[in-house]
Amino acid sequence: QVQLTESGGGLVQRGDSLRVSCAASGITFSRYTMGWFRQAPGKEREFVASISSSHTSTYYADSVKGRFTISRDNTKNTVYLQMDSLKPEDTAAYYCAAKWGEHSIRLREYTYWGQGTQVTVSS
């Protein structure tokens, strides 16, 4: 069956960096657009970043543009989110997700989801 497993979350301080990873199995990873979303307590899940199957296109939410970088390694079936200059407002559970086809910021267009990894940024 399909599994997306996030790792790398933790507690960091304002201004620190952190890289979260998502390992996929059960899908032809190289054919899927991969996305990162996050959900803070009491808030809706929101789009953070996505990367096309061919690595050629990346998209970012305005709130993270210039600070976060999404990348993927199709030989390892893994997508990464490098987070720099972290802020307390980046505190959330971070989820990876997979969809067939083009980029989208819409949660409902993503078919497969991981269980999430918690990122907490203290001030």
Side-chain angles (χ1 to χ4, degrees), residues 36-40 44-48 63-64 67-68 83 89-95:
W36 283 98
F37 294 77
R38 66 186 182 186
Q39 187 167 18
E44 294 186 351
R45 194 170 298 188
E46 63 177 6
F47 170 79
V48 175
S63 58
V64 307
R67 300 188 298 121
F68 289 13
M83 302 181 286
E89 49 264 45
D90 295 318
T91 295
Y94 282 73
Y95 299 87

Side-chain angles (χ1 to χ4, degrees), residues 15-30:
D16 283 352
S17 297
L18 194 65
R19 188 178 80 161
V20 292
S21 304
C22 171
S25 62
I27 59 172
T28 306
F29 180 77
S30 60

